[in-house]
Amino acid sequence: MRVRKPAVAGYFYPAEKEELVKQIEWSIKHELGPKALQMPKLGEKALGGVVPHAGYMYSGPVAAWLYSALAGYGKPDVIIIIGPNHYGIGAPVAVMKSGVWETPLGRVEVDGALAELIMRHYKGVEDDFYAFSKEHSVEVQIPFIQYYFGDVRIVPIVVWRQTLSTSRELGKAVATAIREYGRDVYVLASSDFNHYEPHEVTVQKDDMAISKILKVDEAGLFEVASKFDISICGLGPIGALIVIAKELDFGNVTLLKHATSGDTSGYKDETVGYASILFHR
């Protein structure tokens, strides 16, 4: 059995179980966090959403908003996590089709059946364990998933070919696979927003990108990111999520929380933007 060991435990989040739980709960109770495990539902059903993937001390309080919102809709059978491939390792679009992911909170199993369906509908997706070896964009989501949902299965996907066409092809394949799978699935697009600019600049740039996401406009998102040099690391995953939402009729999008690393660290000269954005109907 393939076991994906933690690559960023002790760096992005604590390596010890008790400390990790404390930091997740700190994220929830932080002044920027949701302060509660349950929030009012915004509709009858949720698809998932956009969630940040930085170190918990920076983005944890923002990430907690999406997980708290999704918890209100109940536990799914599977959570698909689509993240950027920051290192360019492995396939342009990679999935881990079998095995388990390990964190200080235990192990979660990959859902091979759903992964196989996605691969069947998009030949550009490759089963590539190596592509995940260093990547944090999926890993940092898993302790939050374990804390909120327990032993739910996952399908991890990472993308370094972040083009509009790739996002559309992947999004349509995932949507078709979810339909055929016939069970409850959440989809997470793991992404931070603008990187390493002053707080005011990051907020302004993020707002332009978020406005396109709220309009369920993947082409507009790619266009505004290019035109205004908005350094969104998970542009492809967000684009794919938007396409999935349109294909599966989740047309309502709600911004739950937007902040920057400066809001948690106090250092506002060079910041990274974070947002939790819920897709629902």
Side-chain angles (χ1 to χ4, degrees), residues 2 12 48 84 95 101-102 117 156 158 177 182 210 214 238 261 263 276:
R2 299 188 295 185
F12 278 67
V95 65
W101 281 59
E102 189 174 275
L117 282 173
V158 288
I210 290 168
L214 297 180
I238 297 172
S261 57
D263 290 311
S276 270

Side-chain angles (χ1 to χ4, degrees), residues 24-57:
I24 292 172
E25 292 178 346
W26 169 86
S27 298
I28 296 165
K29 297 171 185 175
H30 191 277
E31 62 181 7
L32 296 177
K35 302 182 180 66
L37 290 177
Q38 298 267 336
M39 295 193 299
K41 290 183 180 180
L42 297 173
E44 63 178 25
K45 194 171 184 180
L47 171 66
V50 179
V51 63
H53 58 233
Y56 286 13
M57 65 179 293

Side-chain angles (χ1 to χ4, degrees), residues 5-281:
K5 295 284 188 178
V8 295
Y11 176 39
F12 278 67
Y13 59 86
E16 299 297 325
K17 180 179 179 179
E18 289 185 3
E19 291 303 312
L20 176 52
V21 170
K22 285 181 182 178
Q23 185 142 49
I24 292 172
E25 292 178 346
W26 169 86
S27 298
I28 296 165
K29 297 171 185 175
H30 191 277
E31 62 181 7
L32 296 177
K35 302 182 180 66
L37 290 177
Q38 298 267 336
M39 295 193 299
K41 290 183 180 180
L42 297 173
E44 63 178 25
K45 194 171 184 180
L47 171 66
V50 179
V51 63
H53 58 233
Y56 286 13
M57 65 179 293
Y58 298 110
S59 67
V62 176
W65 278 89
L66 183 68
Y67 288 108
S68 291
L70 291 176
Y73 294 89
K75 179 181 176 179
D77 294 291
V78 185
I79 298 178
I80 299 171
I81 312 164
I82 309 174
N85 185 331
H86 289 87
Y87 302 96
I89 295 172
V93 184
V95 65
M96 184 171 157
K97 194 171 72 171
S98 64
V100 297
W101 281 59
E102 189 174 275
T103 81
L105 300 186
R107 290 181 169 185
V108 291
E109 184 179 350
V110 172
D111 190 296
L114 183 53
E116 182 65 44
L117 282 173
I118 294 169
M119 294 181 68
R120 186 182 306 167
H121 292 292
Y122 181 32
K123 301 303 181 186
V125 181
E126 299 179 41
D127 178 22
D128 187 351
F129 180 79
Y130 180 57
F132 297 90
S133 57
K134 294 171 62 176
E135 184 52 55
H136 63 271
S137 65
V138 170
E139 179 180 333
V140 299
Q141 307 304 339
I142 294 176
F144 270 104
I145 288 170
Q146 291 170 306
Y147 182 87
Y148 278 88
F149 300 110
D151 61 352
V152 66
R153 296 188 302 279
I154 63 168
V155 175
I157 298 171
V158 288
V159 182
W160 63 253
R161 183 186 287 153
Q162 298 202 57
T163 64
L164 178 58
S165 60
T166 296
S167 291
R168 284 175 165 165
E169 290 167 355
L170 176 60
K172 288 179 180 179
V174 170
T176 301
I178 290 172
R179 282 196 207 97
E180 293 182 6
Y181 185 73
R183 299 178 186 175
D184 291 331
V185 178
Y186 290 155
V187 183
L188 305 178
S190 178
S191 182
D192 297 337
F193 279 76
N194 193 60
H195 285 64
Y196 309 131
E197 293 193 89
H199 175 82
E200 296 79 7
V201 175
T202 289
V203 169
Q204 183 180 26
K205 286 188 173 186
D206 286 358
D207 284 344
M208 288 189 284
I210 290 168
S211 71
K212 298 300 182 182
I213 298 171
L214 297 180
K215 292 176 183 176
V216 203
D217 180 5
E218 76 277 9
L221 174 63
F222 273 81
E223 181 180 1
V224 76
S226 175
K227 183 176 180 180
F228 296 100
D229 191 26
I230 309 172
S231 51
I232 305 169
C233 54
L235 193 65
I238 297 172
L241 175 62
I242 292 172
V243 173
I244 295 164
K246 291 197 285 191
E247 291 284 319
L248 298 180
D249 194 27
F250 284 89
N252 295 317
V253 188
T254 300
L255 174 63
L256 301 175
K257 188 66 178 178
H258 175 218
T260 79
S261 57
D263 290 311
T264 49
S265 72
Y267 177 65
K268 296 195 173 185
D269 291 345
E270 291 180 311
T271 64
V272 180
Y274 311 124
S276 270
I277 305 172
L278 179 70
F279 285 67
H280 56 98
R281 68 167 178 239

